[in-house]
Amino acid sequence: MGSEVALPKWASEPCIMGIDEAGRGPVLGPMVYGCLYCAVSYQKTLSSLNFADSKTLKEEKREELFENLKAEESVGWEVDVIDPRELSAKMLKKNKINLNEISHDSAMGLVKRVLNMGVLLTEVYVDTVGDPEKYQIKLSERFPHIKFVVAKKADSLYPVVSGASIVAKVTRDRAVRDWVLDETAENMHRNFGSGYPADPATKSWLEHHKHHVFGFPTLVRFSWGTCTPYFKDIVEVLWESDKTDEGGSSTGSSKRQLKLSSVGFTGVKRKSEEIESSGKGRCKFFHARKLEQVTHF
């Protein structure tokens, strides 16, 4: 995603880039990293475009500025939209990847993407995640030929980062606004508020949309601590352990899988062909995820 135009002539001149994110804190929706880049010689003009930290602007103004950016031939932009499922999966995997690492990887991915397009990046300004000095060292080691400036509140200090903030925020707002709920459970709705944990509308939506087996719809970052209180009455499911000892043999201490007849399947046995074709008696979450009852292992 991004400006998606042929590389302009100015891109072969020394260029600067700003990087910022939107949606780090919400429990709903993607996190978006955005960047804006232009020739160093265009900096003064960029300053006159009246960018500001996107959080200080109304949605209508952000949309207007973003459309102006898209029409401006002297700047380019790119985004990285990180799905809530990806965020949760990385943060909950065996070798956990924390949110700061995810953020750093996304920012470095944008730098690499723009470089691969052929843009002559010489300076990059970044709104910090974590310790600014350590982050700057990390970026400089990865891209030693680029001068990096990493700072707190960079989106209010550097116009090129303010522009990136607009790109990221508008992209996330549109992604959440146009989000298509994959799940088909009854009484699902989109009145989820801002998506921030303290928002009463978001709290109400989470309470209404929790499922005792499947948890939450895929819009939710289920790795967030915000979700933990909603699982106090969730059904416990014990799975056959796949653990093996160092010699490759089973530990022999695996627990049996909890039967799900009371939470998703009927207790009536059917032939496998009938189960596959009818799907009767199963929770709609099974339908949405195209799960089938397994009779033989």
Side-chain angles (χ1 to χ4, degrees), residues 90-201:
K90 286 182 174 180
M91 294 175 72
L92 294 176
K93 63 187 297 189
K94 183 177 181 180
N95 297 317
K96 294 177 172 47
I97 303 175
N98 64 40
L99 194 59
N100 281 7
E101 290 179 273
I102 296 172
S103 298
H104 292 175
D105 289 344
S106 181
M108 289 189 286
L110 287 174
V111 174
K112 183 177 180 181
R113 189 191 307 179
V114 173
L115 286 172
N116 288 344
M117 290 165 54
V119 178
L120 182 59
L121 285 180
T122 58
E123 301 174 34
V124 175
Y125 296 80
V126 186
D127 193 45
T128 194
V129 172
D131 182 86
E133 185 177 351
K134 291 181 180 178
Y135 191 11
Q136 186 165 314
I137 292 172
K138 183 177 183 179
L139 291 167
S140 297
E141 289 178 345
R142 176 72 180 274
F143 305 99
H145 61 290
I146 296 176
K147 173 189 173 183
F148 284 94
V149 176
V150 180
K152 295 180 180 179
K153 303 295 183 181
D155 47 2
S156 60
L157 297 174
Y158 306 104
V160 71
V161 183
S162 300
S165 175
I166 296 294
V167 170
K169 179 62 174 171
V170 173
T171 300
R172 175 182 149 80
D173 286 347
R174 291 179 178 181
V176 173
R177 185 171 64 239
D178 299 334
W179 191 275
V180 177
L181 292 167
D182 296 327
E183 294 77 15
T184 57
E186 293 179 1
N187 301 319
M188 291 191 74
H189 62 79
R190 296 174 51 85
N191 302 324
F192 41 67
S194 66
Y196 280 87
D199 187 334

Side-chain angles (χ1 to χ4, degrees), residues 244-256:
T244 57
D245 59 22
E246 293 181 0
S249 61
S250 174
T251 61
S253 59
S254 301
K255 295 181 179 180
R256 294 175 58 191

Side-chain angles (χ1 to χ4, degrees), residues 27-43:
V27 67
L28 303 180
M31 180 170 72
V32 177
Y33 259 78
C35 72
L36 183 77
Y37 57 93
C38 66
V40 173
S41 59
Y42 191 72
Q43 284 189 87

